[in-house]
Amino acid sequence: MSSAIVSVLPTSLTTMSTEASSPAEGEFAASADEHYDVMGVPVSAVNRPLAVERIARWIAEGERHYVCIRDAHGVIRAQTDAELMAIHHEAGMVTPDGMPIVWAGRKAGFPDVDRVYGPDLVEDLAEQAAVDGWSIFYYGGNDGVADAFATAFEQRFPGLKSAGTFCPPFRDLTADEKRDVAKMINDSGADIVLVGLSTPKQEKWMAEMRPSLTAAALLGVGAAFDFHTGSVRQAPKWIQRSGLEWLFRVGMEPKRLAKRYFVVVPRFAIGILRNRPHRIS
């Protein structure tokens, strides 16, 4: 990792990256170039420092990619949505969001893989962006949420540049509207576009819009918009690390999430038993 990046990452993150022990026999070093299979989804063998480093490289070298931040819900959706599965295979990076995806990576032989959770990753990127001069565009959320998100981050990270915000309507955009959105984002000069539309809408938006956008990185960060503006309460860190965050979220939004998770959790558990996670690169 470059010294410029290490210098601004939180201490806990640089410790994770620089103090990791050498892999034992049958284990592999975490790397954005390594992947492991979770029920057909190729997950990048990364942790937060490695994810930030990869995106920094894209910006520095003029590359253009999108990032899928993957939890068990998205893995299950991809089982019956061929387009969504293909989008993951074309992504520049697929990060392990939920702890079950992290545990799958460690089972596959990557002991240094750790959770790269959307709300955490955007904080890491904003901190780095404030130092390196990157600008961020906020796309998604309900009316006013993207503006509130941008304002909150500008206050938390002095020097951070917001390229712009846009809250799309709750319908598919027309062809003309898509061209207008692409022009708006490109004219803003954004280096990073945060996309908060929920799965699978945000992944499909990124895949469709990627060829039209000049920003180096598009990130599907879902509920990060709501969490960082206080619209929805986040689970305490110990619950996040326990693998039971899904249960906390059901308690917060039972009407929206109960059916989703009481289907996803058993299907994921059965799927993992039938298709053991394994290294694929």
Side-chain angles (χ1 to χ4, degrees), residues 15-268:
T15 299
M16 180 198 309
S17 178
T18 60
E19 294 184 2
S21 58
S22 299
E25 184 177 355
E27 295 181 342
F28 310 96
S31 167
D33 294 319
E34 293 274 5
H35 301 81
Y36 57 96
D37 180 282
V38 181
M39 297 170 62
V41 174
V43 181
S44 304
V46 294
N47 48 43
R48 284 166 58 188
L50 289 174
V52 173
E53 182 180 26
R54 171 54 61 97
I55 293 168
R57 196 193 78 184
W58 295 345
I59 295 172
E61 298 182 1
E63 297 184 28
R64 298 190 298 164
H65 301 279
Y66 61 84
V67 179
C68 297
I69 297 173
R70 193 67 290 132
D71 59 2
H73 167 241
V75 170
I76 294 301
R77 288 294 294 261
Q79 304 308 298
T80 56
D81 187 333
E83 180 187 3
L84 182 60
M85 181 66 81
I87 287 169
H88 284 86
H89 282 264
E90 294 297 322
M93 184 162 54
V94 178
T95 73
D97 181 350
M99 287 307 298
I101 310 297
V102 172
W103 295 330
R106 293 173 183 171
K107 186 70 175 178
F110 295 100
D112 298 329
V113 162
D114 209 350
R115 191 180 192 199
V116 184
Y117 176 50
D120 291 340
L121 180 58
V122 298
E123 288 181 321
D124 298 340
L125 288 172
E127 185 174 358
Q128 186 71 44
V131 173
D132 284 354
W134 308 335
S135 60
I136 299 177
F137 194 101
Y138 304 79
Y139 182 95
N142 294 319
D143 287 344
V145 171
D147 288 336
F149 191 1
T151 298
F153 264 29
E154 287 170 357
Q155 293 173 347
R156 285 186 59 192
F157 303 101
L160 177 63
K161 295 187 293 186
S162 295
T165 66
F166 185 71
C167 295
F170 288 97
R171 58 170 173 77
D172 291 336
L173 299 181
T174 66
D176 286 343
E177 287 172 331
K178 290 174 184 177
R179 283 192 290 270
D180 290 343
V181 164
K183 184 177 186 305
M184 173 178 59
I185 295 174
N186 290 340
D187 288 349
S188 76
D191 298 295
I192 297 169
V193 181
L194 303 182
V195 185
L197 300 177
S198 78
T199 295
K201 188 175 181 179
Q202 63 191 13
E203 287 80 11
K204 294 183 178 183
W205 185 91
M206 291 190 297
E208 179 182 8
M209 298 296 288
R210 177 64 285 180
S212 302
L213 298 176
T214 57
L218 316 180
L219 284 80
V221 298
F225 278 59
D226 293 325
F227 290 151
H228 282 302
T229 57
S231 302
V232 176
R233 182 184 170 194
Q234 284 196 79
K237 291 294 184 183
W238 70 268
I239 293 181
Q240 293 182 30
R241 301 298 297 182
S242 73
L244 294 176
E245 185 178 9
W246 66 271
L247 194 57
F248 179 90
R249 293 195 64 191
V250 168
M252 293 292 99
E253 301 180 82
K255 290 184 179 180
R256 187 173 76 88
L257 297 178
K259 183 178 179 180
R260 173 199 293 184
Y261 283 110
F262 287 119
V263 169
V264 165
V265 172
R267 285 187 180 176
F268 184 82

